[in-house]
Amino acid sequence: MFSLNPKGATPLVVQIVEGFRAAIQGGGLRPGSKAPSIRQFAHAHGVSTYTVVDAYDRLVALGYFVSRPHSGFFVRQRDALARVASNGAPAEAANYNFDSMWYLRRVFEARALRMKPGCGWLPGDWLFEEGMRRSLRTLAAENVDLGGYGEPKGFMPLRQLVRDLLAEQEIAVSADQVLLTQGSSQAMDLVARRLIRPGDAVLVDDPGYPNMLFSLRFLGARLIGVPRTPEGYDLAALEALVKEHQPKVFFTQPRLQSPTGSVANLAHLHRVVLLAEQHQFTVVENDIYADLDPEPRPSLASLDQLQRVVYISSFSKTISPNIRVGYMAAPPDLLEDFAQLKMISGLTSSEFSERLAYGALVDGRWRKHLRGLRERLAQAHQRVGQALESLGFDLFCEPKAGMFLWARHPDIQNATELAYQAAEQDILLGPGHLFDPELQPSPWFRFNVAFTDDPRVLSFLSDHRHAG
């Protein structure tokens, strides 16, 4: 059919896509014919099944293939192919046009990838594994009733504990203003579905969190990127965007932001709160890395006291992402709307998971674990930052805390190209394209310091840093 050149400059994924596209347009593959199975193609051409999965996914997205469950991939019928050709989509889209769903599928399906410097979680042995095991044994000994659905707002003792934790950050709430969720992602989804309608202007960090950006696009929001700086925000740009677009909501992550690692200073936080009050928009503060911050800092919620701010956080990053326990605090009326929407869409969250999290949090070793985790991350930041700089990468900032470094290399123009090459060697990178509100090509990478501190990852970067 066609051959591949493993040593060529063009990534294998692109070679496969272009090969099938040429075969289909040239008549070598007729509409309705079945493509080779993923395993057959991988074996015949000596490439990984991971590479073929990516290529076939892209051929489906470009309109050349259709996937039929339990049957395989087939060439689309002529009318569909004609529409694709008339729109001119393939030639444009073939230039590494994948979105955040590609990234999500690779993160959560491709668990065989050995190295994950682009992922968004910590290694299992960095988390509070022993505390979770002790909590699980305690639950088993207490013979907890597993019947029923639990409280709509979540397990009351954990909500009270969250109230106390927020009080330590000078955010005054009652337990009734706390809603437990299935991770911070559900909390952000509830906010978006309650506050946003198609066509609404929504401010987001630029660069920002891919999963949230995808969710907002799905809801039909008009995403307006607010440029991040090492100190927080480009305030002049923020004010101009607010005046021009009159946004409904601003989704932001002031502290240890993903992907940049930047921290917004106090003056920037004050300005955001003032603009929200003046222009009557809601601020959604995603503070999921607060427990990783060694410094006590004000938050948007502490400055605003939940007048126009919805505060979201999670225990996934420090206890375990598997238990999916997050929470939100909001003005009373809005919180009740979120709780009702939570019940409509999924009844209640898991009380069992919430009890597990509660047991870990009241464990006497919890705070010691946090101190050790922060120290471990600080050391990883120093090592990885120095290693990346020695390879010629420029760092956006040096937070010395949290999980991420945002970096680019002067010889790499499109990080996505290197991400595909990394996947060939079982390495998951985080190319900047995914974090862009407009999904534009980017030279930037998000590096998780806990996984980048690996000689194999650094060796790959060293060997390929001039390949872009």
Side-chain angles (χ1 to χ4, degrees):
M1 186 183 301
F2 58 87
S3 59
L4 303 178
N5 180 10
K7 297 182 179 179
T10 303
L12 288 172
V13 171
V14 178
Q15 292 185 44
I16 296 170
V17 170
E18 291 301 309
F20 274 111
R21 184 165 70 89
I24 292 169
Q25 292 180 339
L29 280 177
R30 296 182 178 277
S33 61
K34 185 177 182 180
S37 74
I38 289 171
R39 291 188 181 278
Q40 286 173 340
F41 189 95
H43 179 74
H45 293 270
V47 298
S48 71
T49 56
Y50 175 88
T51 300
V52 184
V53 167
D54 275 351
Y56 279 26
D57 280 350
R58 293 184 64 192
L59 286 161
V60 170
L62 292 170
Y64 288 109
F65 279 4
V66 60
S67 175
R68 298 176 185 168
H70 311 298
S71 297
F73 293 84
F74 295 80
V75 178
R76 282 190 182 273
Q77 296 300 324
R78 290 189 184 278
D79 57 344
L81 288 172
R83 287 195 297 272
V84 171
S86 65
N87 291 335
E92 178 182 352
N95 189 22
Y96 310 101
N97 186 19
F98 62 86
D99 61 19
S100 56
M101 287 311 297
W102 177 92
Y103 184 67
L104 289 173
R105 287 197 301 270
R106 297 290 76 79
V107 167
F108 294 110
E109 292 178 7
R111 291 191 177 271
L113 288 175
R114 292 176 297 163
M115 294 159 279
K116 302 177 178 67
C119 77
W121 62 85
L122 293 172
D125 60 356
W126 290 44
L127 299 171
F128 198 35
E129 289 184 331
E130 282 304 313
M132 283 290 292
R133 291 191 180 94
R134 285 191 293 270
S135 181
L136 190 58
R137 288 195 293 268
T138 299
L139 276 180
E142 289 177 350
N143 193 27
V144 173
D145 181 11
L146 299 179
Y149 283 99
E151 291 294 323
K153 289 185 179 178
F155 184 50
M156 176 56 85
L158 181 54
R159 286 162 52 203
Q160 292 170 334
L161 181 58
V162 168
R163 174 202 62 198
D164 297 339
L165 292 173
L166 292 178
E168 293 179 11
Q169 300 185 48
E170 299 185 354
I171 305 171
V173 298
S174 68
D176 271 345
Q177 281 181 266
V178 175
L179 178 68
L180 302 183
T181 58
Q182 296 179 48
S184 61
S185 294
Q186 187 192 33
M188 286 187 287
D189 181 63
L190 293 174
V191 173
R193 287 194 287 138
R194 167 61 180 81
L195 297 181
I196 296 170
R197 296 294 178 267
D200 283 346
V202 176
L203 298 180
V204 294
D205 289 342
D206 182 10
Y209 176 42
N211 196 24
M212 185 199 69
L213 297 176
F214 181 87
S215 176
L216 293 173
R217 291 189 198 100
F218 186 82
L219 290 172
R222 289 190 295 117
L223 302 188
I224 312 297
V226 177
R228 292 292 298 215
T229 70
E231 295 77 32
Y233 309 95
D234 182 330
L235 291 179
L238 171 60
E239 185 161 358
L241 292 169
V242 168
K243 290 179 178 178
E244 178 183 357
H245 297 282
Q246 292 300 306
K248 191 81 170 289
V249 187
F250 181 16
F251 286 85
T252 185
Q253 195 171 49
R255 186 195 327 237
L256 300 175
Q257 190 244 4
S258 173
T260 66
S262 60
V263 177
N265 64 36
L266 181 58
H268 286 219
L269 299 181
H270 274 297
R271 190 62 182 153
V272 170
V273 170
L274 181 60
L275 286 170
E277 183 179 352
Q278 289 175 340
H279 295 270
Q280 301 293 293
F281 61 85
T282 301
V283 179
V284 181
E285 181 175 21
N286 179 8
D287 203 17
I288 58 174
Y289 302 112
D291 284 338
L292 302 181
D293 190 354
E295 300 293 332
R297 304 179 200 268
S299 63
L300 291 168
S302 67
L303 297 177
D304 171 82
Q305 290 302 312
L306 302 181
Q307 297 301 304
R308 303 204 67 85
V309 173
V310 174
Y311 183 87
I312 292 173
S313 194
S314 170
F315 300 113
S316 296
K317 304 302 180 184
T318 50
I319 297 178
S320 169
N322 223 337
I323 60 172
R324 310 301 304 136
V325 176
Y327 61 89
M328 60 195 305
D333 291 346
L334 204 50
L335 196 284
E336 293 302 321
D337 288 350
F338 295 146
Q340 184 176 7
L341 187 56
K342 172 188 171 183
M343 292 186 67
I344 291 171
S345 59
L347 297 179
T348 65
S349 44
S350 168
E351 183 175 309
F352 184 78
S353 294
E354 291 162 2
R355 285 176 176 268
L356 269 179
Y358 177 77
L361 290 166
V362 297
D363 188 301
R365 304 171 206 181
W366 165 244
R367 293 184 183 269
K368 180 180 179 181
H369 161 73
L370 282 184
R371 289 193 297 271
L373 178 58
R374 292 164 186 157
E375 292 172 3
R376 194 170 187 179
L377 282 167
Q379 293 167 4
H381 265 277
Q382 183 175 3
R383 291 192 299 269
V384 172
Q386 290 176 349
L388 290 175
E389 288 184 320
S390 72
L391 294 176
F393 282 84
D394 299 319
L395 303 182
F396 182 82
C397 64
E398 297 183 61
K400 298 183 174 61
M403 295 166 58
F404 304 119
L405 282 171
W406 187 237
R408 64 181 175 183
H409 195 283
D411 292 336
I412 299 174
Q413 301 304 312
N414 188 342
T416 307
E417 299 178 22
L418 188 60
Y420 274 126
Q421 295 176 42
E424 294 290 330
Q425 299 191 29
D426 283 337
I427 299 173
L428 179 72
L429 291 180
H433 173 85
L434 300 172
F435 305 90
D436 189 290
E438 301 297 327
L439 288 171
Q440 294 299 308
S442 168
W444 292 91
F445 295 89
R446 184 185 76 172
F447 290 106
N448 182 329
V449 296
F451 287 91
T452 308
D453 194 17
D454 182 323
R456 296 170 297 178
V457 172
L458 296 173
S459 176
F460 171 84
L461 294 174
S462 177
D463 293 341
H464 293 79
R465 54 187 154 154
H466 302 298

